[in-house]
Amino acid sequence: GAGVSQTPSNKVTEKGKYVELRCDPISGHTALYWYRQSLGQGPEFLIYFQGTGAADDSGLPNDRFFAVRPEGSVSTLKIQRTERGDSAVYLCASSVSSHGELFFGEGSRLTVL
Amino acid sequence: DQQVKQNSPSLSVQEGRISILNCDYTNSMFDYFLWYKKYPAEGPTFLISISSIKDKNEDGRFTVFLNKSAKHLSLHIVPSQPGDSAVYFCAAIISSNTGKLIFGQGTTLQVKP
């Protein structure tokens, strides 16, 4: 596809479970970002990758959250021991360079029961 | 601490009239500001931006004004169209913090036919 693709679009899980959210960026985009949007709020920065490495992970709320981008393309956001407060839309964005325009995916809606 | 604030959660405007969306920020280190538009079940899409060295940027029906002394920016849409109905997010960035956009809470614009 031409845009940023995120899967699953919806995920319902139980408290304490492990969750993985996937992001497939636009081909050729070296920069990839994860944001989280809670109800009634704007997107909140989580982590930024330049290539394979996490250039800035200062937005990850705690050590239950982890993200990887092993080959510099697809990224996976991993959440361990999910809590109800983790319920949100997780947005992925990519850009052609670290200073380029961000293109967002449609998001993965996570609901923790 | 909300560094970027959109104090109006919603705005309703008649088609053909002007829509004015406002945004305030607190961090004087921000040097670039952006507006994003979001339709339901879609990711945010870039609309228009302005550098802190300018006070106005215009793109078709959309104009962004920046008042640095007041730490305030606004988005003007003239004339407003029903297709403009969406959530509008103001975002700010410190250019050296690549990709780390700080978003406001969003304003839902409804343009009535």
Side-chain angles (χ1 to χ4, degrees), chain B residues 87-100:
Chain B
V87 179
Y88 289 79
F89 291 101
C90 170
I93 190 170
I94 302 170
S95 293
S96 57
N97 293 352
T98 51
K100 194 171 180 178

Side-chain angles (χ1 to χ4, degrees), chain A residues 25-26 28-32 49-53 68-75:
Chain A
I26 294 172
H29 280 195
T30 61
L32 184 146
F49 286 91
Q50 181 59 46
T52 60
V68 295
R69 195 186 185 199
E71 297 178 359
S73 179
V74 170
S75 176

